[in-house]
């Protein structure tokens, strides 16, 4: 299993670990995806609604996001 992590600060943007770039097949020179693009391009469609709800709750309430979800890698 591969484990990548990212940190998001608002305002201030996000930081991805090297493993996150590798897992997602993204060139580190491009930087992290914006949150909306991450949800649309990376989060598995069957999990996107739950992730979106958890994200909204984290922003509005706790400031912490703790959720497991599937991703779609570039190779499918």
């Amino acid at each position: 299993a591969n484990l990548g992590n990212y940190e998001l600060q608002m305002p201030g943007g996000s930081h991805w670990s090297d493993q996150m770039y590798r897992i997602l097949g993204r060139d580190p020179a491009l930087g992290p995806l914006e949150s909306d693009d991450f949800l649309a391009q990376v989060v598995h469609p069957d999990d996107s609604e739950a992730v979106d709800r958890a994200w909204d709750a984290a922003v509005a309430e706790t400031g912490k996001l703790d959720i497991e979800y599937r991703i779609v890698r570039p190779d499918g």
Side-chain angles (χ1 to χ4, degrees), residues 20-38:
M20 189 76 168
Y21 285 102
R22 188 170 50 253
I23 290 168
L24 298 180
R26 184 167 172 84
D27 182 350
L30 297 174
L33 288 167
E34 296 292 327
S35 298
D36 289 340
D37 292 332
F38 185 87

Side-chain angles (χ1 to χ4, degrees), residues 10-72:
M10 296 179 66
S14 61
H15 171 77
W16 285 8
S17 68
D18 292 340
Q19 297 89 338
M20 189 76 168
Y21 285 102
R22 188 170 50 253
I23 290 168
L24 298 180
R26 184 167 172 84
D27 182 350
L30 297 174
L33 288 167
E34 296 292 327
S35 298
D36 289 340
D37 292 332
F38 185 87
L39 185 64
Q41 297 174 27
V42 175
V43 176
H44 190 281
D46 292 346
D47 296 342
S48 64
E49 189 174 318
V51 171
D52 196 34
R53 279 194 314 265
W55 173 259
D56 289 345
V59 170
E61 299 166 14
T62 65
K64 296 182 182 195
L65 179 66
D66 183 11
I67 185 171
E68 288 186 27
Y69 54 90
R70 296 168 288 176
I71 63 170
V72 179

